[in-house]
Amino acid sequence: MARPRTSPRTVEHPSVEEVSLQQLLEALVDPVRRAVVSQLARARGEMSCGTFDVQVSRSTLTHHFNVLREAGVIRQYYVGTTKMNALRVDEMEERFPGLLSALVAASHLEGTREPPAAEA
């Protein structure tokens, strides 16, 4: 007996025009979400959900992906059973010029900076 045909899995994304600056900034205030954005920017392409180097549980990371998707920062789609993530760079650049690239650059600088020395 043949398996019933199912429709492909899809993920809803807001139009970038629907996203407010407030919503975008609130999405990017969290350090885990900034790490996700930075890793996607460094990858210069898509990454599957399980490949991110973050110190949170899978369910918590799913929450962070949802916040980023609802803020228009990432696009998610399925390849088979794997959910892929990609930055919406061109769309974000058109809506909020320079914001995403400035965030990625600042996150990179912040991550490479030596911590301040403890005073004796």
Side-chain angles (χ1 to χ4, degrees), residues 67-88:
V67 171
L68 289 170
R69 188 185 72 249
E70 291 166 4
V73 178
I74 64 172
R75 179 166 303 284
Q76 293 186 302
Y77 58 94
Y78 284 94
V79 175
T81 58
T82 303
K83 190 181 270 188
M84 302 300 292
N85 303 277
L87 284 178
R88 295 172 71 177

Side-chain angles (χ1 to χ4, degrees), residues 5 10 17 19 21 23-24 37 47-48 50 59 71 81 84 90 92 106 114 116 119-120:
R5 177 169 262 169
T10 59
E17 290 77 30
V19 176
L21 179 61
Q23 183 181 11
L24 177 62
V37 170
M47 294 174 64
S48 68
S59 62
T81 58
M84 302 300 292
D90 295 336
M92 294 302 292
E114 290 291 320
E119 293 187 27

